[in-house]
Amino acid sequence: MQSVFGGEQPFDATAFEIESRAELDVHLAKRSLAGLIVLGLRLDEQPPDFTGVDVSQTLFVGCRLAGPRVEMDLIARGAHLVPPFEARPYPTHPAHLYTPEDLADGFAREGFAGMYDTLVYEHFLAHGGAAPDLREAIAQRLHDAGIDNALGKALAAWVDGHDARGAVGIMGGHAEPRGSAAYRMAATLAWRLAGAGRLIVTGGGPGVMEAANLGAYLSDGTADQLSAAIDQLAVAPDFRDHDPFTAAALAVRAAYPAPACAAGDVVGKLTHGGLALPTWLYGHEPANLFAGQIGKYFSNAVREDTILRLSRGGIVFAPGWAGTVQEVFQAATKTFYRTDGPSGAFVFLGVEHWSTLPVEALLRPLLARSPHGDQSDLLVVTDSLDEAMAALTGA
């Protein structure tokens, strides 16, 4: 059973959502679940006794109950049930974000082909890929709604102790090989940003995205340790070599273990590795195993918008091509209209690359005409990590 179905400890202090058996038992003792939401619990194992419990307007989402009689009784007494969809390798309403351990589960036994992440991707392809049938589409939307819910609460927990504008997005090419100059630059910048208290947000793939989460993962370590970890990863530079690529990542995690966090300490997990938001639309890419928390989506459109919406402290665009350029102009549209409020800096790392793709020449006159005033001063094109840090942190 994947841990994302709900663990032994409460995930958070949300008063109206129940995400663990321990939380459920507290409410059962009070004889009322009225108006509450019960998320993704295995209630077919050691079934609870609902006799005499007020279940009016209780919403059970993705829970496994003891049988049809229990389900009919709950419905008859005013509960609403959205049952899990069976015969799927993923939960239809995850209570938690994923961890690297979740996505890599099965690798030690069966290699890349047997990982949880790979099995879900194969299911995704077998059921229509980006154009699933209605039953599969509903299951995927429920899953992604669960990820949305878990992500919102994880970020709320992080914001409680940090500046809400402290999240910095780092975008760039997925095919950037480990050990390259661009990979090292992205990792070093993320290491410095995370060390300064910023939350690193990436698209969760390989290349620049992995480099950024790696930098955040090792933010408590030294620059020499970061360099040594990159050297260790560089023996398997190409993500298309799935097994050695994944094995190298797991070996680095073993060599540099993250500080131990309590089961519900989402802030501690985000602090060491940041946040990654990948998608099974690009499931051929091995999972990025350095993020502290992972919100993996079926919908790429939702995932792309979420990355840019969260990155209110600025966005770094390392060298990349079509996908990165798409994100550049999607972010520019949000900034132009201030869709999500004021924007941080747009830092383009790699002067030569961004001269070849002259986005600055297009963005400066565009942002200068924003209805919220000239925002062209947000653009920084540089090869200097010091300049990038100054633009993103003011220091």
Side-chain angles (χ1 to χ4, degrees), residues 169-174 176 180-187 189 207-209 211-212 315-325 327-328 346-351 353-354 357 359 380 382 385:
I170 299 185
M171 317 298 179
H174 70 282
E176 193 65 43
S180 71
Y183 187 101
R184 290 179 185 277
M185 181 177 283
L189 179 58
V208 165
M209 294 171 280
I315 304 177
V316 177
F317 296 102
W321 296 98
T324 305
V325 171
E327 290 162 344
V328 168
F346 283 23
V347 175
F348 293 88
L349 277 184
V351 173
H353 179 84
W354 295 114
L357 296 175
V359 294
V380 177
T382 185
L385 295 186

Side-chain angles (χ1 to χ4, degrees), residues 210-381:
E210 181 191 69
N213 287 122
L214 173 68
Y217 178 78
L218 292 173
S219 60
D220 286 347
T222 66
D224 286 342
Q225 287 175 320
L226 177 61
S227 181
I230 295 173
D231 290 342
Q232 187 174 346
L233 288 169
V235 302
D238 189 343
F239 76 85
R240 289 165 291 195
D241 294 330
H242 292 156
D243 282 276
F245 189 90
T246 303
L250 292 172
V252 166
R253 287 184 61 89
Y256 303 94
C261 291
D265 185 9
V266 67
V267 175
K269 293 175 183 177
L270 288 172
T271 301
H272 298 95
L275 175 67
L277 300 176
T279 172
W280 277 294
L281 183 66
Y282 302 139
H284 62 287
E285 299 175 358
N288 172 344
L289 299 181
F290 294 106
Q293 292 278 265
I294 302 169
K296 191 150 191 175
Y297 286 89
F298 288 101
S299 171
N300 183 52
V302 172
R303 164 252 192 182
E304 289 275 12
D305 185 77
T306 302
I307 295 168
L308 299 174
R309 174 171 51 84
L310 297 180
S311 302
R312 308 318 305 150
I315 304 177
V316 177
F317 296 102
W321 296 98
T324 305
V325 171
Q326 173 187 326
E327 290 162 344
V328 168
F329 287 97
Q330 190 172 347
T333 300
K334 286 178 168 290
T335 296
F336 184 89
Y337 292 112
R338 286 199 172 182
T339 307
D340 303 305
S343 173
F346 283 23
V347 175
F348 293 88
L349 277 184
V351 173
E352 182 179 354
H353 179 84
W354 295 114
S355 297
T356 303
L357 296 175
V359 294
E360 182 182 14
L362 289 169
L363 288 183
R364 283 202 184 278
L366 174 69
L367 293 181
R369 295 179 63 86
S370 166
H372 298 280
D374 185 353
Q375 298 187 74
S376 61
D377 62 332
L378 294 175
L379 301 182
V380 177
V381 183

Side-chain angles (χ1 to χ4, degrees), residues 90-130:
Y90 59 90
T92 47
H93 200 99
H96 303 174
L97 295 175
Y98 291 101
T99 66
E101 291 81 4
D102 291 325
L103 295 185
D105 183 57
F107 183 82
R109 300 184 302 273
E110 302 176 62
F112 183 80
M115 283 172 50
Y116 170 80
D117 196 30
T118 307
L119 296 177
V120 176
Y121 178 55
E122 290 177 348
H123 176 92
F124 171 76
L125 292 179
H127 289 77

